[in-house]
């Protein structure tokens, strides 16, 4: 028995059948990729980051778990799509994931048939194609589908290289192609997500074990693998200088939306979320069938163990022919998930989220399930039928997960919400104008609000003063990537200063949406404020306007103020918080004397110098803290001691002054600017 050559000695690739499979999947994937009802919170983040400048894109990704490569890919797709001119933007931002999905199915088909035989390889590709979580990510403008493709390809290439080594079939061309593809995939994966380094670490362990089995230290498998892994790791070295920012972010990230690192959640990964998807645990109590399927998906493991109990230990000939890659595939996903679980459990980094991050190893887990089914069927003499029966629960569970996802989106998604609110008269009359903010998201939600005329928020600037009623739809405000004027409008709306009368309708969250869709209806706007926002006077301070918007917000010991990067007006002059050298930001709460941790978020332009000393302290307190900052985004954490109790304490920040006229070509703006203030939080030490 040899799963490397099961069914025949040289399994054919089956290109025609593969083409039929891909053609059958194409309309489904395009339909889901074009579905704007499913455009969710993290995809909003992708779009907002990809549409910004390259400098900002690289800077903002230093405070996330994702290096900048995926956003650069999406940015390229948007540029190409803009040049072509007729491709829907929602499809453009999701197209990298769609293409990665088809690439992954093709790789699993071809490599699977080489390593598991015709039947095993075909079932492996089918399991990937119909899997619920993989299908969900294949329609997301996120990096996980591409990451799955790259990590899985690296893993399968090790099996391919081992086979070439055993058969003595290496040639210069095969050496270059095998290890060249491995190097490329591993290097690109590292630039997509920090957790790729952990996944590839375990893949590297597999290579070491196979190299030890080889015992030919000068063989192409050993030398080629060593060079490939070394080059891939070296390619990531330039990002290491920014890595400490990302690690700091992961250790401090909000984890309320994550599944906690508990044993049952670890177990759910393999019996619910891997085969079914993110809705598994929510529906278990209502549908006993899910419990049955959750047990049946472990049949390949049970069947393989049964071969040892019934058939006894395998012979030396069988041991020699066993493909160890199957057993490594069985071990790697639990090791990966356990590592994430432990990192979160011990507070090193918040990276365990059973519904998302473990998916990186999902195709490898499917490979192990199909591989064990092939091994068990071969030893029992059950042939293809037994292999299919053992894999069938995974296929059925995946299809059921996809159907559940579609059903929930259809009946409870955003489009269904809009129809419900229209039916009950909670939305403006059909045909009404709704101003959308951020306006760059308008193409991705317009079909959902098809009965209305959606326009950019900036169109407010062209309205006549005295316009009666205005409707504004705000969408998922990611604070680090807001532009200046839309954020200021939102601040005035939330503080109640933009209109004498206003009502709001917040759309309920639908997993995994979590986006903030809020429709504001404003009556009797203060057009003086609108005029100041969209047509601000030049060469003057805007401190009063911005402070009025910021301090009116009911934030407990939290201030959010200012903007993240220079937004240039039509005449080339920057619209931003123009202040002198001493900036004071006031908290809204009373703070008692004691020890605190001050968290400050600011964005710096490289002016007047790339690196400057910034002083921070509280008015009325003797201690002043000096930090040296370069350009870009900074999340500072400074231990402070308040010796006195303060009612609405003021944080004073001293930064060298620079003027746009001295640094920005084409502008005559002479305002004294410093940095772009994002926010500050003051928390008690130990919390």
């Amino acid at each position: 028995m040899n799963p490397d050559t099961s069914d025949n000695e040289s399994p054919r690739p089956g290109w025609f059948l593969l083409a039929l499979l891909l053609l059958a999947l194409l309309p489904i994937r395009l339909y889901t990729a074009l579905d704007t009802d499913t455009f969710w919170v993290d995809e909003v983040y992708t779009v907002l980051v990809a549409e910004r400048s390259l400098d900002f894109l690289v800077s903002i990704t230093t405070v996330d778990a994702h290096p900048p490569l995926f956003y650069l890919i999406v940015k390229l797709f948007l540029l190409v799509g803009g040049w072509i001119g007729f491709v829907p933007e929602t499809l453009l931002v999701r197209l990298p994931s769609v293409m990665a999905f088809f690439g992954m199915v093709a790789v699993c088909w071809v490599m699977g048939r080489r390593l598991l035989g015709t039947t095993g390889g075909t079932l492996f590709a089918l399991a990937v194609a119909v899997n619920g979580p993989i299908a969900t990510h294949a329609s997301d403008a996120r990096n996980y589908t591409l990451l799955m493709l790259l990590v899985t390809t690296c893993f399968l290439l090790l099996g391919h290289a081992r086979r070439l080594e055993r058969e003595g079939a290496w040639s210069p061309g095969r050496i270059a192609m095998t290890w060249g593809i491995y190097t490329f995939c591993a290097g690109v994966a590292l630039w997509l997500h920090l957790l790729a380094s952990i996944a590839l670490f375990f893949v590297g362990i597999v290579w070491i074990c196979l190299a030890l089995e080889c015992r030919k230290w000068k063989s192409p498998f050993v030398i080629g693998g060593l060079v490939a892994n070394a080059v891939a790791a070296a390619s990531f070295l330039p990002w290491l200088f920014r890595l400490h920012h990302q690690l700091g972010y992961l250790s401090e990230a909000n984890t309320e939306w994550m599944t906690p690192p508990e044993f049952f959640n670890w177990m759910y990964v393999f019996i619910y979320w891997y085969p079914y998807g993110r809705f598994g645990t929510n529906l278990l109590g209502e549908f006993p069938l899910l419990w049955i399927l959750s047990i049946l998906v472990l049949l390949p493991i049970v069947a393989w163990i049964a071969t040892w109990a019934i058939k006894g230990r395998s012979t030396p000939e069988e041991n020699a022919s066993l493909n160890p890659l199957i057993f490594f595939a069985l071990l790697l996903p639990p090791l990966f998930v356990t590592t994430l679980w432990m990192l979160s459990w011990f507070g090193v980094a918040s990276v365990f989220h059973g519904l998302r991050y473990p998916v990186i190893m999902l195709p490898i887990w499917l490979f192990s399930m199909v591989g064990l089914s092939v091994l068990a069927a071969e030893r029992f003499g059950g042939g293809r039928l037994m292999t299919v029966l053992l894999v069938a629960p995974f296929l059925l569970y995946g299809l059921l997960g996809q159907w559940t996802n579609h059903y929930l989106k259809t009946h409870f998604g955003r489009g269904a919400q809009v129809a419900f609110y229209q039916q009950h008269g909670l939305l403006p009359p059909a045909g009404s104008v709704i101003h959308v903010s951020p306006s760059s998201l308008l193409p991705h939600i317009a079909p959902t609000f098809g009965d209305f005329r959606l326009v950019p928020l900036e169109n407010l600037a062209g309205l006549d003063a005295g316009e009666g009623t205005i409707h504004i739809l705000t969408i998922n405000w990611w604070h680090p990537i807001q532009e200046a004027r839309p954020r200021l409008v939102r601040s005035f709306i939330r503080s109640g200063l933009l209109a004498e009368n206003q009502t709001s309708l917040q759309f309920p969250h639908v997993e995994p949406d979590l986006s903030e869709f809020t429709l504001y209806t404003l009556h009797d706007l203060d057009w003086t404020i609108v005029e100041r926002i969209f047509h601000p006077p030049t060469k003057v301070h805007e401190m009063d306007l911005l402070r009025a918007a910021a301090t009116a917000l009911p934030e407990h010991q939290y201030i959010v103020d200012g903007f993240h990067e220079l937004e240039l007006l039509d005449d080339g002059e920057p619209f931003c918080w123009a202040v002198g050298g001493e900036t004071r930001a006031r908290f809204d709460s009373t703070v008692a004397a004691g020890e605190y941790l001050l968290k400050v978020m600011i964005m710096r332009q490289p002016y007047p110098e790339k690196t400057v000393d910034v002083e921070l302290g509280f008015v009325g307190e003797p201690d002043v803290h000096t930090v040296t900052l370069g350009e870009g985004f900074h999340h500072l954490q400074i231990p402070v001691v308040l010796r006195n109790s303060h009612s609405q304490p003021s944080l004073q920040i001293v930064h060298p002054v620079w003027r746009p006229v001295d640094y920005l070509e084409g502008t005559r703006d002479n305002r004294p600017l410093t940095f772009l203030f994002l926010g500050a939080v003051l928390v008690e030490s130990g919390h």
Side-chain angles (χ1 to χ4, degrees):
M1 181 273 299
N2 186 352
D4 276 356
T5 57
S6 180
D7 299 323
N8 54 66
E9 283 301 313
S10 181
R12 298 178 181 178
W15 298 116
F16 178 72
L17 293 177
L18 174 60
L20 288 180
L21 175 62
L22 297 180
L23 286 174
L25 294 169
L26 182 61
I28 301 173
R29 294 276 66 84
L30 289 179
Y31 170 78
T32 54
L34 287 166
D35 183 11
T36 58
D37 276 0
T38 61
F39 204 76
W40 67 295
V41 55
D42 282 13
E43 293 182 290
V44 168
Y45 186 87
T46 297
V47 171
L48 294 179
V49 172
E51 290 184 340
R52 305 300 287 272
S53 66
L54 288 177
D55 289 342
F56 180 84
L57 187 154
V58 173
S59 178
I60 198 65
T61 50
T62 62
V63 288
D64 197 357
H66 310 272
L69 181 57
F70 182 74
Y71 302 108
L72 293 172
I73 293 173
V74 173
K75 189 177 188 69
L76 176 62
F77 272 72
L78 288 173
L79 291 174
V80 173
W83 177 70
I84 296 175
F86 62 86
V87 182
E89 285 194 28
T90 302
L91 177 61
L92 282 175
V93 298
R94 289 173 168 175
L95 200 54
S97 294
V98 174
M99 295 173 64
F101 170 80
F102 284 102
M104 181 162 51
V105 172
V107 167
C108 293
W109 177 284
V110 174
M111 298 296 292
R113 287 164 75 98
R114 290 181 181 179
L115 299 172
L116 300 175
T118 302
T119 301
T122 302
L123 289 173
F124 176 39
L126 285 174
V128 170
V130 304
N131 180 264
I134 291 177
T136 300
H137 286 285
S139 301
D140 275 359
R142 299 298 290 163
N143 50 8
Y144 294 99
T145 308
L146 184 55
L147 191 56
M148 282 188 278
L149 165 63
L150 297 171
V151 173
T152 303
T153 301
C154 289
F155 180 80
L156 296 177
L157 281 173
L158 292 182
H160 173 67
R162 174 185 179 271
R163 180 174 178 177
L164 294 176
E165 183 71 28
R166 289 179 57 205
E167 297 175 354
W170 286 111
S171 66
R174 285 177 172 175
I175 294 174
M177 178 172 292
T178 299
W179 294 118
I181 295 175
Y182 181 98
T183 304
F184 173 81
C185 291
V188 172
L190 289 171
W191 284 88
L192 289 175
H193 200 294
L194 285 186
L195 296 183
S197 59
I198 300 177
L200 291 172
F201 169 78
F202 287 118
V203 173
I205 295 297
V206 173
W207 167 76
I208 292 175
C209 293
L210 294 177
L212 292 174
E213 178 201 43
C214 175
R215 297 183 181 179
K216 298 178 182 178
W217 308 119
K218 295 184 180 180
S219 68
F221 184 88
V222 176
I223 301 299
L226 179 63
V227 173
N229 283 288
V231 172
S235 70
F236 193 61
L237 290 178
W239 192 252
L240 293 182
F241 296 102
R242 299 175 179 264
L243 193 59
H244 67 284
H245 292 293
Q246 291 185 299
L247 295 178
Y249 163 80
L250 289 174
S251 64
E252 294 288 334
N254 176 21
T255 60
E256 293 180 359
W257 56 274
M258 291 185 176
T259 55
E262 299 172 352
F263 171 75
F264 285 105
N265 285 333
W266 183 95
M267 181 181 64
Y268 289 155
V269 169
F270 301 99
I271 63 175
Y272 299 131
W273 296 323
Y274 262 4
Y276 182 65
R278 60 188 60 172
F279 303 104
T281 51
N282 297 338
L283 302 175
L284 283 176
E286 301 180 29
F287 300 99
L289 174 63
L290 299 184
W291 281 105
I292 298 174
L293 288 174
S294 297
I295 297 173
L296 292 179
V297 294
L298 301 178
L299 272 180
I301 300 176
V302 175
W304 177 72
I305 294 175
T307 63
W308 290 78
I310 298 174
K311 292 288 187 177
R313 299 184 63 180
S314 56
T315 65
E317 291 77 15
E318 288 177 322
N319 282 330
S321 64
L322 285 175
N323 186 346
L325 209 66
I326 295 173
F327 303 103
F328 284 122
L330 183 63
L331 292 175
L332 257 59
L335 287 174
F336 178 72
V337 174
T338 301
T339 301
L340 303 185
W341 186 88
M342 293 179 65
L343 288 173
S344 298
W345 177 266
F346 290 107
V348 177
S350 303
V351 293
F352 179 80
H353 183 45
L355 303 177
R356 183 180 306 175
Y357 301 133
V359 80
I360 297 171
M361 285 284 193
L362 174 52
I364 296 177
W365 178 253
L366 295 176
F367 179 87
S368 73
M369 294 296 101
V370 176
L372 290 177
S373 300
V374 171
L375 293 178
E378 290 283 352
R379 291 209 72 196
F380 276 120
R384 296 179 179 177
L385 179 59
M386 183 176 178
T387 305
V388 172
L389 290 176
L390 290 174
V391 178
F394 251 105
L395 302 179
L396 179 60
Y397 220 170
L399 291 172
L400 186 60
Q402 291 198 53
W403 177 85
T404 304
N405 194 359
H406 175 73
Y407 177 85
L408 292 176
K409 291 294 184 183
T410 302
H411 290 79
F412 304 102
R414 197 174 305 118
Q417 293 175 2
V418 171
F420 176 84
Y421 288 145
Q422 277 188 288
Q423 181 180 356
H424 290 78
L426 300 176
L427 293 181
S432 298
V433 174
I434 297 178
H435 295 79
V436 176
S437 177
S439 56
S440 58
L441 299 178
L442 193 152
H444 304 287
I445 65 163
T448 300
F449 294 82
D451 291 340
F452 303 95
R453 189 157 64 92
L454 270 59
V455 299
L457 176 70
E458 289 74 13
N459 281 22
L460 283 176
L463 295 180
D464 295 330
E467 188 82 20
T469 300
I470 302 296
H471 306 286
I472 298 178
L473 180 68
T474 62
I475 308 166
N476 195 73
W477 283 80
W478 286 89
H479 290 295
I481 45 179
Q482 295 178 41
E483 290 187 343
R485 281 167 287 184
R487 177 171 182 172
L488 196 56
V489 169
R490 178 179 171 86
S491 295
F492 273 101
I493 292 176
R494 292 181 60 190
S495 61
L497 299 177
L498 191 59
E500 292 187 11
N501 299 291
Q502 67 181 47
T503 59
S504 65
L505 174 65
Q506 183 166 352
F507 288 72
H509 298 323
V510 177
E511 291 284 356
D513 189 334
L514 302 178
S515 298
E516 296 178 8
F517 275 71
T518 305
L519 179 65
Y520 295 96
T521 300
L522 310 176
H523 307 280
D524 302 322
L525 268 70
D526 187 334
W527 287 97
T528 302
I529 294 179
V530 175
E531 180 70 16
R532 286 289 306 275
I533 293 174
F534 290 100
H535 302 287
T538 59
K539 312 291 190 302
V540 299
H541 289 271
E542 297 165 14
M543 170 70 82
D544 294 338
L545 176 65
L546 300 178
R547 183 170 296 285
T551 57
L553 300 182
E555 303 284 358
H556 177 66
Q557 290 194 198
Y558 195 100
I559 47 179
V560 176
D561 205 28
F563 311 113
H564 291 261
E565 88 175 317
L566 288 176
E567 179 185 348
L568 296 181
L569 301 174
D570 294 337
D571 59 3
E573 295 185 348
F575 179 91
C576 68
W577 188 1
V579 298
E582 293 186 1
T583 301
R584 291 188 179 183
R586 187 176 60 191
F587 289 85
D588 291 336
S589 302
T590 298
V591 180
E595 297 182 357
Y596 294 87
L597 182 64
L598 173 65
K599 301 180 180 181
V600 181
M601 295 163 283
I602 67 174
M603 172 77 78
R604 278 203 65 248
Q605 299 290 333
Y607 317 123
E609 303 289 343
K610 277 195 171 183
T611 302
V612 299
D613 288 335
V614 178
E615 297 179 353
L616 302 95
F618 283 91
V619 176
E621 294 287 338
D623 298 331
V624 176
H625 304 271
T626 302
V627 293
T628 302
L629 301 179
E631 61 178 303
F633 178 91
H634 297 279
H635 185 182
L636 308 178
Q637 300 189 54
I638 304 172
V640 298
V641 176
L642 298 183
R643 307 180 190 283
N644 306 296
S645 177
H646 294 268
S647 174
Q648 297 184 327
S650 292
L651 172 66
Q652 180 171 289
I653 308 176
V654 180
H655 182 290
V657 172
W658 60 279
R659 299 177 184 273
V661 69
D662 298 326
Y663 299 95
L664 300 178
E665 185 176 353
T667 180
R668 301 179 303 278
D669 196 322
N670 197 40
R671 290 180 292 176
L673 308 184
T674 53
F675 56 90
L676 305 171
F677 180 73
L678 312 182
V681 182
L682 191 62
V683 297
E684 294 181 11
S685 295
H687 288 72

